[in-house]
């Protein structure tokens, strides 16, 4: 059974085996969580990302997939980068958002990570409504077949924290 816990604050301050990054397919950095992770984690993360682009992911990491790098100077062993979908009013991209959580946990299992911190993927720059993003995140982790012992959702502000809290019993 995976324990789901919530924390409010900056995900780059967490001590866990793996920190999940809400990246973009370039894997070369950006704003939001991605910017914060590269800033605090230092250049080793970007160096690993560049190696991935030069080898397996020449065209970038597709939406809904996940890949791991070093965590550099963060208090974690790995960063798992995943690319959330941009929210759309006309298309239902929920399955791609669910896939981010599922694929990140699959990578965590490959690595042997037991504690994993997730941000609320796609709910920032990518525009996903927080309540729906929280529902998809919690349902997907609850249904996942994983050896991860703790999934910690790290929410930046109180509104996000409350949205996730409403999804838990
Ligand atoms: N710790 C925890 N949560 C955070 C932090 C932090 N340090 N910073 C922001 N959030 P976003 P996305 C929250 O925009 O929507 C980047 O440019 C934020 O309030 O980081 O998946 C990438 O390179 C929001 O609730 O990710 C992509 O281009 C959530 O984390 C694009 O943004 C996700 O916001 C990805 O957009």
């Amino acid at each position: 059974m995976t324990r789901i816990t919530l924390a409010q604050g900056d995900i780059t301050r967490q001590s866990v085996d793996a920190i999940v990054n809400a990246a973009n397919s370039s894997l070369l950095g950006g704003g939001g969580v991605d910017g914060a992770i590269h800033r605090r984690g230092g250049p080793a993360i970007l160096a690993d990302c560049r190696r991935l682009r030069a080898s397996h992911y020449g065209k970038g990491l597709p939406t809904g997939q996940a890949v791991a790098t070093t965590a550099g100077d963060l208090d974690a062993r790995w960063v798992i980068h995943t690319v959330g979908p941009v929210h759309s009013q006309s298309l239902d991209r929920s399955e791609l958002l669910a896939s981010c959580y599922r694929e990140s946990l699959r990578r965590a299992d490959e690595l042997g990570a037991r504690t994993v911190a997730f941000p609320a993927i796609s709910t920032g720059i990518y525009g996903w409504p927080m309540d729906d993003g929280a529902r998809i995140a919690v349902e997907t982790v609850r249904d996942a077949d994983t050896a991860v012992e703790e999934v910690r959702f790290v929410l930046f502000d109180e509104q996000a924290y409350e949205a996730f809290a409403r999804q838990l019993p």
Side-chain angles (χ1 to χ4, degrees):
M1 263 297 272
T2 308
R3 203 154 45 90
I4 297 178
T5 60
L6 304 183
Q8 193 184 322
D10 181 348
I11 198 166
T12 67
R13 301 287 188 178
Q14 297 293 313
S15 307
V16 282
D17 292 334
I19 293 177
V20 176
N21 181 19
N24 61 65
S25 31
S26 83
L27 292 176
L28 300 179
V33 174
D34 198 7
I37 283 176
H38 282 284
R39 257 192 317 276
R40 191 169 295 280
I45 299 176
L46 187 58
D48 259 9
C49 287
R50 288 194 197 283
R51 277 192 283 275
L52 285 167
R53 285 299 306 275
S55 54
H56 285 61
Y57 296 99
K59 291 181 182 160
L61 181 67
T63 303
Q65 295 190 25
V67 73
T69 67
T70 176
D73 301 330
L74 297 174
D75 191 10
R77 296 175 69 185
W78 304 282
V79 170
I80 296 173
H81 306 261
T82 188
V83 182
V86 175
H87 185 259
S88 158
Q89 300 285 359
S90 49
L91 295 172
D92 181 6
R93 297 187 170 144
S94 307
E95 197 38 52
L96 283 170
L97 183 54
S99 173
C100 289
Y101 290 98
R102 221 179 281 123
E103 290 299 306
S104 296
L105 289 173
R106 198 170 61 79
R107 291 294 185 194
D109 284 335
E110 285 173 5
L111 296 162
R114 291 292 178 261
T115 53
V116 178
F118 277 96
I121 299 164
S122 286
T123 64
I125 292 164
Y126 282 177
W128 209 286
M130 185 57 76
D131 281 319
D132 197 51
R135 178 187 63 78
I136 292 167
V138 171
E139 281 178 2
T140 306
V141 168
R142 221 179 243 152
D143 292 346
D145 181 17
T146 173
V148 170
E149 288 162 8
E150 181 190 357
V151 165
R152 190 180 307 162
F153 291 110
V154 182
L155 297 322
F156 212 34
D157 57 27
E158 199 178 327
Q159 181 228 334
Y161 184 96
E162 291 304 328
F164 274 73
R166 282 192 291 276
Q167 299 298 325
L168 296 174

